Amino acid sequence: MSDYHVGLGVFGIYAGTFKKHGEWKDKSEVTKEAIDSVIGFLLLNKKECRFEYEGKQYVMRVEEQESE
């Protein structure tokens, strides 16, 4: 059974299998599904994700939007 991978590309998020050398064997663009899945996971589990990028600290979470 092949190992399934999810990765970031120039034009989106992709899922599929790799050849032995780390090159995509076959892949599908799954950007919307990936974003929707992360939103659902963070919301339903009341989680947030903290990370560092280029020396800056970030947090990703889902918050209810207040009515205008």
Side-chain angles (χ1 to χ4, degrees):
M1 182 173 168
S2 298
D3 287 333
Y4 202 68
H5 299 275
V6 177
L8 175 63
V10 176
F11 300 107
I13 299 170
Y14 298 90
T17 56
F18 280 156
K19 296 178 182 177
K20 291 182 181 179
H21 304 293
E23 182 182 333
W24 287 107
K25 178 179 175 186
D26 48 55
K27 65 180 178 180
S28 299
E29 195 270 328
V30 296
T31 305
K32 178 156 179 26
E33 294 93 337
I35 291 170
D36 289 347
S37 295
V38 170
I39 290 168
F41 177 81
L42 294 174
L43 180 63
L44 294 173
N45 293 287
K46 298 181 170 102
K47 299 267 185 187
E48 64 182 28
C49 178
R50 294 176 179 271
F51 57 97
E52 183 178 322
Y53 178 72
E54 294 185 348
K56 296 181 181 180
Q57 301 291 320
Y58 294 88
V59 61
M60 184 170 55
R61 66 175 149 250
V62 178
E63 296 178 351
E64 183 176 0
Q65 181 176 338
E66 296 182 20
S67 300
E68 295 180 12

